Amino acid sequence: MFDHFVEKAKEKLPDVDFKNPRNRRKPSNGDGDALENIEPRDRFRINSFIPVIDALESNLAQRASVYSDAANKFSFLTQLIATEEEIRVGVSALYQAYPEDVDMNLVGEVKHFHQYIRQSQASGSTEHYSMTHQDLYKVIFNDHVKSAFPNVEAILRMFLSMMIANCSGERSFSQLKRIKNEFRSTMAQDRLCSLSLMCIESDKLHSLSFDDIINDFALTKARKKTF
């Protein structure tokens, strides 16, 4: 896998290669002497590539576990031919996880919602009932039945928007250290938020023209008065 990424990197940067680090005098120890005489390619693989892959794999496994757990809690909503007992079990598990947002009265509302979905669909086969959470929410939105199923709509919206909060994988590769470096140690929160937003939306930022802003700034700071 390492060789594959090296080939892809050389396609983009053919003139860049592994280099030996600058020689520095360090106190000798038994553990570090083995890494002093290895090739720069192997040094990069051991010190940089393998730790990054390990961190990425760990974060992806953690994220998959979180997604799987959340999907299991909300899976009863998509089981349109589920019995009332199966719906009750699903609502009970969801109530234990979110007691402030879920009411046990949701059982009857989910049951009527499933009936509405089955009757509103043109096909009567059970295969047509395999719908995703997003499909169910689109039905509520397009048919304007939010007032008829308010709790179901709230639960579906909560499920569809909750995954965005799980971003621990991106934090490992955050550019915050590049934005707030040692030369910007006195930066206030407002400026840090603005620079972070500019970094996140860099593609859109590069498409903007700053000529008007520069001219206004130059006129404001100009010492020569215009008559």
Side-chain angles (χ1 to χ4, degrees), residues 84-152:
E84 183 175 353
E85 184 60 27
E86 292 175 345
I87 296 174
R88 187 177 301 277
V89 172
V91 172
S92 178
L94 197 63
Y95 175 78
Q96 294 179 1
Y98 308 100
E100 297 181 357
D101 302 316
V102 180
D103 191 349
M104 289 304 297
N105 295 328
L106 181 64
V107 176
E109 187 172 326
V110 172
K111 182 179 178 181
H112 288 90
F113 177 68
H114 287 173
Q115 293 177 355
Y116 173 80
I117 294 295
R118 292 196 299 266
Q119 294 176 1
S120 63
Q121 303 302 320
S123 176
S125 62
T126 56
E127 296 180 357
H128 193 74
Y129 295 154
S130 59
M131 302 176 65
T132 64
H133 296 84
Q134 186 175 1
D135 295 334
L136 296 176
Y137 192 83
K138 286 182 178 179
V139 171
I140 295 178
F141 182 80
N142 295 330
D143 294 355
H144 305 286
V145 292
K146 178 180 178 180
S147 58
F149 308 104
N151 295 318
V152 175

Side-chain angles (χ1 to χ4, degrees), residues 176-187:
L176 183 60
K177 292 183 180 179
R178 300 178 61 184
I179 297 174
K180 190 175 183 180
N181 51 33
E182 62 273 13
F183 301 107
R184 297 171 175 170
S185 58
T186 59
M187 184 188 305

Side-chain angles (χ1 to χ4, degrees), residues 1 5 48-60 173:
M1 183 171 59
F5 286 111
S48 300
F49 179 76
I50 293 179
V52 169
I53 294 299
D54 289 342
L56 182 61
E57 183 178 2
S58 176
N59 280 282
L60 289 176
F173 306 96

Side-chain angles (χ1 to χ4, degrees), residues 35-63:
L35 298 177
E36 293 296 330
N37 298 323
I38 63 177
E39 296 294 329
R41 176 191 178 94
D42 296 331
R43 185 190 302 274
F44 177 82
R45 180 176 59 84
I46 295 172
N47 295 337
S48 300
F49 179 76
I50 293 179
V52 169
I53 294 299
D54 289 342
L56 182 61
E57 183 178 2
S58 176
N59 280 282
L60 289 176
Q62 182 181 5
R63 172 176 295 188

